[in-house]
Amino acid sequence: MISVEDLYLEFGGFELFRQISFIVNPRDRIGLVGRNGAGKSTLLKIFSGQLQPTSGRVVTPRDVRVGYLPQHMITADGKTVLEEAISAFDEIVGLEKRIEHLNHQLTVREDYESEAYHKIIEEVTEANDRFQLLGGGNFHADIEQTLVGLGFKRSDFSRQTTEFSGGWRMRIELAKILLAKPDVFLLDEPTNHLDIESIQWLENFLKEYAGAVVLVSHDRAFLDNVTNRTVEISLGQVYDYKVSYSKYVELRKERREQQMAAYRNQQKMIQETEDFIERFRYKATKAVQVQSRIKQLDKVDRIEIDEEDVRSLNIKFPPSPRSGNVVFEAKQMSKSYGDNLVLKDIDLTIERGDRVAFVGKNGEGKTTLARIIMQELDSDGLAKLGHNVKIGYFAQNQASLLDEDATAFDIIDRIAVGDVRTKIRDILGAFMFSGEDVDKKVKVLSGGERSRLAMIRLLLEPVNFLVLDEPTNHLDMHSKDILKQALKDYDGTLLLVSHDREFLDGLVDVVYEFRDKKAKQHLGGIYEFLRKKKMESLKELERKNNKSVQPTVEKTEKITNGQELNYEERKEINRTISRLEKLLNDTESKITSLETEIERMDERLANPDNENMEQLLEKYSLKKKELDKEMGTWEKTTEELEEWNTKKTW
């Protein structure tokens, strides 16, 4: 579909890509990964035609349509949300108007036998065929489904785009690209401005989409759920793995170990050769050998290795001062902005040592409550901090409070104490400040760089209540891993407002869901909450369908049997059952194959003539372990399938 051929790109003497080649196939789900600055976003720009390489080329067939969502986009004004979304269907809208015009001509003209009249009929027929081919009959439903899936309310459709924040306007642009249904999606950090529910909707959309997807994302769960292929950009080269992100991490670790072994061997050889040259450089009797070694060194293709992985860097928050048992308490608390009621009668208590997540759609009041906790906003009702609570707060506006004339190094040096002072450059490097970046003044840093600097400063301050509002938006995988480990080791109280499921996993044990101006408490981690949420949505649907009917025995049976579920719910259940049945069949086939292999090995072990028993026993042990693993998968899948089948009895 898209062919990358010997792509070379140079920026100011720096080689970003060195003759890279690979192919994007139909139905590929590719995650582009690599360190910040490796060239992921640049490659998407080349794919979209916005940037030309120094040499080489990207070949895209003329009939292949590409949809590109950049990380930062200039949005237009003067239209409503619906009008912007409809602009994705310019050809369909044009055809609709053309068909209407031609039909009007047919009704007012009376020269039924003329050639001109018959030509109009042909035009109408061709236009209708094209209209249907492009899905013209369904595009209004597609618009509504996509906008709602991305978190818009139907009441938002008629609002001007200027009324929305930058994050919501990015959603409108994403909706337009999704609605255009290109053959290839190029998505650069598409989840940055989405909440958990919208991310899950986008995951399902992309998984079922008929075209190809190439995306850049620092959301590990999103990559794992969407991609089936990972292309790593490293040191100007690409490494192609036909697996999802988590599997890639394992395979990359193996490749790096092999790379390091080869690098060490080569360095040893180079050092020995250089030592020989230096020792005998001025001895006439060794002149031939010295020249031979020099030529040998010149021909060596030097192995390059990735920069050292900084995930092993151990950063810890300072010990937190002890606070009172109650860290924050709200009773019958409400908050309005003018006539807009955001939170109503909130009852919430956060105690010392709690690890809490605020989740929910954007605009439901998560950040508002965080700012009330910070005492940045007033509210009605009771909202108070506990005794001796010292808050460390991270939000996007924290970056604007940094000293403009200080360097990145100065900002951290001012608060660093003890051994940390010797690791300032390492810590800055872990959060993507390397080389000259360390000495840049704050006033020349980008918004993302400032946010990361504010996060590092927070890591080093002694507080007992951390409130972090979307802390991962500008962090790459390595930086997120470092922050997550530091938060796991943190001994104070933690509140996270985040849409990053993988980041929240293992960090929180209480989830507050913000919905309909309320904050509902769910005990357990983020994935437990999402599982409950899915089940609750099914039950809620049943209640809605039957709220006006007093259930009789017959009606109760209908509810239990799931006949009241709508099409989308039935489709989801059917899809899950099909997936589990396929997994079960595949597992049973593997089990049968493994059992056959083990039986053959049993026979060979019983007659060990001319056999390498050590190798055979090792292989036998591996096959037994593989069989145990597949049996475990079979048991788990069977149980899951039984549970889902109880929901499908219509």
Side-chain angles (χ1 to χ4, degrees), residues 450-463:
R450 291 185 183 209
S451 294
R452 295 197 302 272
L453 195 59
M455 176 62 70
I456 300 170
R457 190 174 70 168
L458 182 62
L459 271 167
L460 302 176
E461 292 179 332
V463 296

Side-chain angles (χ1 to χ4, degrees), residues 105-122:
Q105 290 289 311
L106 291 174
T107 57
V108 298
R109 294 179 64 144
E110 296 181 355
D111 54 335
Y112 308 122
E113 301 300 327
S114 71
E115 185 179 341
Y117 193 88
H118 283 281
K119 190 173 181 181
I120 293 173
I121 292 174
E122 288 177 8

Side-chain angles (χ1 to χ4, degrees), residues 119-137:
K119 190 173 181 181
I120 293 173
I121 292 174
E122 288 177 8
E123 277 191 62
V124 170
T125 304
E126 289 177 7
N128 269 313
D129 288 345
R130 179 67 178 165
F131 184 78
Q132 294 302 325
L133 181 66
L134 294 173

Side-chain angles (χ1 to χ4, degrees), residues 135-231:
N138 301 317
F139 83 97
H140 287 291
D142 288 345
I143 288 171
E144 182 174 348
Q145 184 182 34
T146 302
L147 288 174
V148 171
L150 289 174
F152 290 94
K153 297 174 183 174
R154 287 173 179 82
S155 58
D156 293 331
F157 292 4
S158 58
R159 292 172 60 190
Q160 289 288 317
T161 58
T162 50
E163 297 178 35
F164 292 87
S165 67
W168 281 97
R169 296 184 74 175
M170 285 296 287
R171 292 189 190 208
I172 296 170
E173 296 303 317
L174 176 57
K176 286 162 62 177
I177 291 166
L178 299 181
L179 287 165
K181 297 180 180 175
D183 299 293
V184 183
F185 280 122
L186 306 174
L187 306 177
D188 197 348
E189 295 289 0
T191 65
N192 262 4
H193 303 286
L194 302 182
D195 51 56
I196 287 178
E197 289 185 30
S198 299
I199 290 172
Q200 290 180 311
W201 179 88
L202 181 59
E203 282 176 0
N204 291 329
F205 180 94
L206 293 176
K207 281 191 285 190
E208 295 176 15
Y209 192 67
V213 178
V214 183
L215 64 90
V216 175
S217 178
H218 291 145
D219 186 329
R220 185 170 297 165
F222 183 73
L223 282 171
D224 271 338
N225 290 334
V226 173
T227 63
N228 56 18
R229 183 177 166 195
T230 303
V231 174

Side-chain angles (χ1 to χ4, degrees), residues 604-623:
R604 289 166 64 186
L605 287 168
N607 300 284
D609 293 344
N610 300 320
E611 287 277 357
N612 185 328
M613 290 301 293
E614 188 175 340
Q615 284 185 359
L616 184 59
L617 284 168
E618 185 179 350
K619 190 175 179 183
Y620 183 84
S621 176
L622 288 172
K623 291 295 178 186

Side-chain angles (χ1 to χ4, degrees), residues 483-600:
L483 176 60
K484 184 172 181 177
Q485 188 56 53
L487 291 173
K488 280 183 177 180
D489 296 335
Y490 176 60
D491 61 355
T493 307
L494 178 64
L495 168 58
L496 284 165
V497 181
S498 179
H499 63 262
D500 192 325
R501 294 155 295 172
E502 193 278 332
F503 184 75
L504 290 173
D505 186 32
L507 279 183
V508 300
D509 45 35
V510 180
V511 175
Y512 281 94
E513 179 193 10
F514 283 68
R515 195 184 191 98
D516 300 326
K517 303 175 180 59
K518 298 285 188 180
K520 182 181 178 182
Q521 185 190 63
H522 298 264
L523 298 178
I526 187 65
Y527 282 109
E528 189 174 349
F529 158 72
L530 292 172
R531 282 193 293 270
K532 287 178 185 174
K533 180 81 178 151
K534 197 159 193 175
M535 296 307 299
E536 283 176 8
S537 67
L538 291 173
K539 291 174 184 174
E540 182 65 27
L541 188 66
E542 291 168 2
R543 285 197 291 273
K544 282 181 182 175
N545 287 336
N546 299 283
K547 62 184 177 183
S548 60
V549 182
Q550 185 65 34
T552 61
V553 173
E554 181 183 354
K555 190 68 178 178
T556 305
E557 184 177 341
K558 275 191 174 184
I559 295 170
T560 306
N561 287 344
Q563 290 182 352
E564 299 301 312
L565 299 179
N566 68 13
Y567 171 75
E568 286 299 323
E569 297 291 349
R570 293 200 302 271
K571 184 179 175 184
E572 174 63 24
I573 291 173
N574 273 325
R575 190 185 299 119
T576 303
I577 289 173
S578 297
R579 178 180 61 79
L580 290 171
E581 285 176 343
K582 183 179 184 306
L583 177 59
L584 196 63
N585 288 334
D586 291 345
T587 305
E588 286 174 348
S589 297
K590 288 178 185 176
I591 289 171
T592 302
S593 175
L594 286 167
E595 286 177 338
T596 302
E597 284 189 67
I598 289 170
E599 283 178 11
R600 289 173 183 163

